Amino acid sequence: MFVDAKFEAVAAPDGSLQELRDTWQFDEVFSSSVLLDYGKNRNNALDPAEVAAVAKTVRESLAQYNYYMNITINGKTLALAKPDILHGTYENGSLTLSFAQKPMAKTKD
């Protein structure tokens, strides 16, 4: 599996960390395996409801891995809340998932 991952840190007006935003675009081979598992109507695409099912599964299953996020501030691990929702699209044979996580506690500015 290959993933084009993009990461953005968003600061609050006071300079503390407001949220971390991730976008994962998966390669066509992995995306096609997701299509086989979730494309219930066999139309060679993932409809919005099917993408939502994928996103829900990912949201639940990757929680134990902290969504592959390992953030530290001054050597201390920053606890992040589970994303409220994962957004997904399936375009041109590629699955893309995006989500945001907020720190569990306010970071120092």
Side-chain angles (χ1 to χ4, degrees):
M1 169 189 341
F2 294 96
V3 179
D4 181 13
K6 295 178 183 168
F7 169 83
E8 180 182 8
V10 179
D14 67 1
S16 63
L17 180 63
Q18 180 174 332
E19 70 180 13
L20 300 172
R21 297 176 184 165
D22 280 283
T23 300
W24 299 342
Q25 184 175 15
F26 296 91
D27 68 279
E28 290 181 2
V29 174
F30 178 77
S31 296
S32 66
S33 72
V34 173
L35 177 62
L36 289 173
D37 290 340
Y38 286 87
K40 302 299 181 196
N41 59 11
R42 305 291 182 223
N43 65 350
N44 236 10
L46 289 174
D47 298 336
E50 295 165 337
V51 173
V54 173
K56 180 180 178 188
T57 299
V58 170
R59 181 179 178 265
E60 297 302 320
S61 64
L62 292 186
Q64 64 184 325
Y65 303 107
N66 296 324
Y67 303 90
Y68 300 112
M69 299 282 284
N70 195 9
I71 306 297
T72 60
I73 296 178
N74 296 324
K76 294 182 182 177
T77 300
L78 176 65
L80 298 170
K82 185 183 221 181
D84 292 331
I85 190 166
L86 266 78
H87 299 280
T89 60
Y90 185 82
E91 297 174 351
N92 301 319
S94 181
L95 174 67
T96 301
L97 297 175
S98 59
F99 59 95
Q101 290 180 273
K102 296 181 183 206
M104 297 288 282
K106 182 177 169 87
T107 61
K108 294 181 180 180
D109 45 304

